[in-house]
Amino acid sequence: MLRPPAKHCRNCGTPVVMRLPDDGDTKTRAVCPSCHLVHYDNPLNVVGTVPVWGESGQYVLLCKRNIEPRFGKWTLPAGFMELNETTAEGAARETIEEAGAQFEMGEIFTLMNVVRVGQVHIYYRARLLSDIFEPGYETIEARLFTEDQIPWDEIAFRTVKETLEHYFADRRQGRFGFHAFDIT
Amino acid sequence: MLRPPAKHCRNCGTPVVMRLPDDGDTKTRAVCPSCHLVHYDNPLNVVGTVPVWGESGQYVLLCKRNIEPRFGKWTLPAGFMELNETTAEGAARETIEEAGAQFEMGEIFTLMNVVRVGQVHIYYRARLLSDIFEPGYETIEARLFTEDQIPWDEIAFRTVKETLEHYFADRRQGRFGFHAFDIT
C-alpha cells in the first residue's frame, strides 16, 4: 500500500534511475540523471481527534465514511497532515471538515506507527461544545455514541478502534495518558 | 524552507498545473494534465534520541555535525524517518548511523511541530550501554556532556536545545514525561 516510487523527475521530467545517491546515502532512491535531483519517499502523518460530549465525556463522535476506503464504516475525524499547519491544527481542520463540529482541542492522546502503509497516526482529545454537526462531503452521518453503543465491528481502521479503546479505558481510570504504539 | 512544488508529473513527466483537484479538495495541488495524478506535499518526520549515560543519566551524548546545515554545531542524533520503519526504529537507526552508539531504546520524550520547515520532530530517550562511540561520516565527534558542560550556544537546532532542556528539567524532578509543543 506504499506509493510507487517516482518514475520521472519532479523538477525536469526526465525518467529517473533507481540507485544509491552520491552523498553517502545507503538507500536506493529515484535519482534524476539530468538535473541530479534525489527523490525521497517518506512516511505521511494522519492527524485526527477523539471528540467527546457529556459531562464525563461519555459520548464520542464518530463519522460514517462517504468515501473509499472503508465506505460506510465508522471513523474518528482524521486525515493527512498538510504543510503550514501543526499536528493539532491539522487534527482540528479535519474535525471541522469531516464532522462540522464545534470543539475545544485537548491534549495529544495517541501516536501509532502503521509501517505497512508508511503512516504515523496522531490523535488529540477534543471537547465538543455542541451536539449539532454539519458533516462535509466525506461523511454520510456524524453521530454520538456511548461505549456500549459503538459499532465495534463496523469501525473503519484499527488505529481508530485502538484509540477508542484507550479513550474508554483511560476514562474508567479517571486519568488520560498519552499512548504511543505500533499497529502491525 | 519548504520544498518547491513539483514542476513535472512523477508518473509521466508532463509539466503539472497548479490548481484545485476535481475531487472536492480545497487546496491547490500540482495536477498532471496528462495522466491526472495529483501531487501532495506533506510534512516530514525527523526522528532521534536523547542518549544518556551514567547511573542517574547525568551525561547526554551529542554529535558535532560534519554536514550542512549547521556544520560544526552540536546536535542529538536525528534524521528523516524512512519508509518501512517506525518512529522508534528510525530514531535508533539514526543513533547508530550518526554516533555509532550502543543503547537500549526508552520512551517517547518530545514531539515538536516546526511548521516553518514543514517538519515534525520526535525524540525518544535511550540508555547508552557503552561510552565508546564510532560516529559515521555525518559526525565529526561524538561526546558525552553533563548539563553544565553542554555547549548551549553551539547547539545546532532549537528542537535539540528544547529537548535537552526538558531532559534535564525532568531529570531534576525525578520523573520523565512526554512533551508535545510547537517551535515557532
Side-chain angles (χ1 to χ4, degrees):
Chain A
M1 286 296 294
L2 297 177
R3 282 173 301 178
K7 293 187 202 161
H8 289 261
C9 176
R10 63 184 270 138
N11 182 49
C12 72
T14 304
V16 294
V17 178
M18 295 301 295
R19 67 169 175 88
L20 290 180
D22 301 323
D23 63 357
D25 193 341
T26 57
K27 291 197 172 56
T28 298
R29 314 281 185 187
V31 180
C32 178
S34 175
C35 77
H36 309 297
L37 184 70
V38 180
H39 298 71
Y40 301 91
D41 273 321
N42 299 89
L44 296 174
N45 292 334
V46 171
V47 289
T49 61
V50 186
V52 305
W53 176 251
E55 61 188 25
S56 67
Q58 67 269 45
Y59 296 98
V60 171
L61 176 63
L62 296 180
C63 298
K64 193 172 190 173
R65 288 174 64 83
N66 193 32
I67 50 172
E68 294 293 350
R70 312 293 165 87
F71 178 96
K73 302 291 183 190
W74 293 89
T75 187
L76 291 164
F80 288 110
M81 183 184 181
E82 300 274 359
L83 293 174
N84 301 310
E85 67 185 10
T86 64
T87 44
E89 288 166 351
R93 176 181 51 71
E94 290 288 346
T95 307
I96 294 165
E97 287 177 8
E98 297 190 357
Q102 295 178 282
F103 55 93
E104 269 180 8
M105 287 293 285
E107 295 298 303
I108 191 169
F109 184 58
T110 53
L111 182 150
M112 294 161 286
N113 278 278
V114 195
V115 172
R116 190 176 49 83
V117 292
Q119 296 175 0
V120 179
H121 290 233
I122 298 172
Y123 281 89
Y124 288 78
R125 288 184 293 122
R127 196 173 64 81
L128 288 164
L129 302 174
S130 161
D131 60 353
I132 298 172
F133 312 113
E134 298 183 6
Y137 77 96
E138 295 174 71
T139 302
I140 296 167
E141 181 187 1
R143 197 203 293 182
L144 295 170
F145 294 89
T146 63
E147 184 173 6
D148 288 345
Q149 293 166 342
I150 283 184
W152 291 105
D153 296 336
E154 299 290 313
I155 299 297
F157 305 106
R158 263 191 62 201
T159 47
V160 171
K161 183 161 183 283
E162 301 215 11
T163 295
L164 289 170
E165 287 170 350
H166 276 293
Y167 174 76
F168 287 111
D170 280 14
R171 180 174 171 272
R172 272 192 295 277
Q173 292 189 359
R175 186 177 170 280
F176 291 98
F178 168 68
H179 309 276
F181 53 99
D182 302 334
I183 303 280
T184 50
Chain B
M1 287 296 294
L2 296 177
R3 283 173 300 177
K7 292 187 202 160
H8 289 261
C9 176
R10 63 184 268 137
N11 182 48
C12 72
T14 303
V16 294
V17 178
M18 294 302 294
R19 68 169 175 86
L20 290 179
D22 301 324
D23 62 358
D25 193 341
T26 57
K27 292 196 173 57
T28 299
R29 314 280 184 187
V31 180
C32 179
S34 174
C35 78
H36 309 297
L37 185 70
V38 180
H39 298 70
Y40 301 92
D41 273 321
N42 299 90
L44 295 174
N45 293 334
V46 171
V47 290
T49 61
V50 185
V52 304
W53 176 250
E55 60 188 27
S56 67
Q58 67 269 44
Y59 296 98
V60 171
L61 176 63
L62 296 181
C63 297
K64 194 171 189 174
R65 288 173 65 83
N66 193 32
I67 50 172
E68 294 293 350
R70 312 296 164 85
F71 180 95
K73 302 293 184 190
W74 293 89
T75 187
L76 290 165
F80 288 110
M81 183 185 181
E82 301 274 0
L83 294 174
N84 300 311
E85 67 185 11
T86 64
T87 44
E89 287 166 351
R93 176 181 51 72
E94 291 288 345
T95 307
I96 294 165
E97 288 176 7
E98 297 190 357
Q102 295 177 284
F103 55 93
E104 269 180 6
M105 287 293 286
E107 295 298 304
I108 190 168
F109 184 58
T110 53
L111 183 148
M112 294 160 287
N113 278 278
V114 195
V115 172
R116 191 176 48 83
V117 292
Q119 296 176 359
V120 179
H121 290 232
I122 298 172
Y123 281 89
Y124 288 78
R125 289 186 291 121
R127 195 172 65 81
L128 288 164
L129 303 175
S130 160
D131 59 353
I132 298 171
F133 313 112
E134 299 182 7
Y137 77 98
E138 294 174 71
T139 303
I140 296 168
E141 180 188 1
R143 198 203 295 180
L144 294 171
F145 294 90
T146 63
E147 183 173 8
D148 287 346
Q149 294 167 341
I150 283 184
W152 290 105
D153 296 335
E154 299 290 313
I155 299 297
F157 305 106
R158 264 192 62 201
T159 47
V160 171
K161 184 160 183 281
E162 301 215 11
T163 294
L164 288 170
E165 287 169 351
H166 276 293
Y167 174 76
F168 288 111
D170 280 14
R171 180 173 171 273
R172 274 192 294 278
Q173 292 190 1
R175 185 178 172 281
F176 291 97
F178 168 70
H179 308 276
F181 53 99
D182 302 334
I183 303 280
T184 49

